[in-house]
Amino acid sequence: WDRQRQRRERDARRIERLTTPYSRAPDCTAQLDASKLAAIEELVAQRLAAKLRRDFAESDALLQRLLDSGVRVTDDHRLWRSDDRPFVVPYRQEGGGIPRLGTGGTTRILALVLERGAAKASKDYRRADALEAELSRMGVGLDDRRRTWRYYDAAPLPPPRYARHGGQEGAGGAGGGGGGGRGGGR
């Protein structure tokens, strides 16, 4: 019964991720008037609807129309942009912690994280490392794999949900093998 519940939860998260609408990249610098912005958003929404219907020929045709009009899309992160800058995936704060930067501190952190992402995307690793060091001096740590940032003094977070199984961290998970460690499955 527990596995059925876990499967339903996993499927619900997958469907939610697949149906999440696309949005303009937060660091997109293109100047778009209201009609151009509306036209792009409509094409992007039509493309998502075609993908959800599994009409990949229409989805590909809509993507080509977007590309022809100077709009790039990243499906992994549900973003679009119409400038020549690389995609920089936004990070989110994880955990609490004590902000040491006063009013506007979070805005400053997010700006530095985005700037670091842009530096990494353009392969300017020296600049990216310098920005990460600056964030560290501000008491902020980054997790690139999870796309999160947190204050160093934040309470530790529990391990990811998928890491807990049968009371053992990192045990099992994907299934696909015999007896699950309970006596060889005989």
Side-chain angles (χ1 to χ4, degrees):
W1 180 253
D2 208 28
R3 284 187 182 206
Q4 288 177 343
R5 183 180 54 79
Q6 289 173 346
R7 186 176 299 123
R8 280 194 307 271
E9 289 173 358
R10 184 186 65 231
D11 290 346
R13 285 190 307 270
R14 182 176 172 268
I15 289 169
E16 180 182 347
R17 183 178 46 82
L18 290 174
T19 59
T20 299
Y22 289 73
S23 61
R24 185 177 183 182
D27 62 328
C28 179
T29 59
Q31 300 296 316
L32 302 172
D33 62 33
S35 64
K36 176 72 171 170
L37 182 61
I40 291 171
E41 289 177 340
E42 178 62 26
L43 280 175
V44 170
Q46 288 175 9
R47 180 172 177 266
L48 176 59
K51 286 179 67 170
L52 292 174
R53 287 192 317 269
R54 302 181 67 77
D55 185 348
F56 299 116
E58 181 181 350
S59 172
D60 290 345
L62 289 165
L63 178 59
Q64 191 58 54
R65 282 180 59 191
L66 287 162
L67 291 170
D68 291 344
S69 64
V71 177
R72 292 175 297 126
V73 177
T74 173
D75 292 326
D76 291 341
H77 303 294
R78 295 294 202 240
L79 296 172
W80 64 266
R81 69 181 318 128
S82 57
D83 57 9
D84 60 349
R85 297 179 66 193
F87 281 101
V88 178
V89 180
Y91 283 47
R92 62 180 169 74
Q93 183 178 2
E94 189 170 64
I98 302 168
R100 296 173 194 78
L101 308 173
T103 307
T106 301
T107 303
R108 174 79 176 130
I109 290 168
L110 292 174
L112 289 171
V113 169
L114 280 174
E115 187 178 344
R116 177 179 171 268
K120 285 179 67 173
S122 63
K123 300 189 183 334
D124 185 355
Y125 299 112
R126 184 168 293 168
R127 176 75 179 139
D129 290 347
L131 290 164
E132 186 171 4
E134 182 176 348
L135 286 161
S136 182
R137 286 189 298 275
M138 296 165 63
V140 173
L142 301 174
D143 184 338
D144 288 329
R145 184 181 56 79
R146 294 170 65 177
R147 302 282 189 211
T148 59
W149 66 270
R150 63 182 293 129
Y151 291 106
Y152 287 132
D153 62 355
L157 296 171
R161 186 176 181 102
Y162 62 83
R164 290 190 231 148
H165 180 69
Q168 296 177 3
E169 200 166 317
R182 295 186 191 145
R186 291 179 199 239

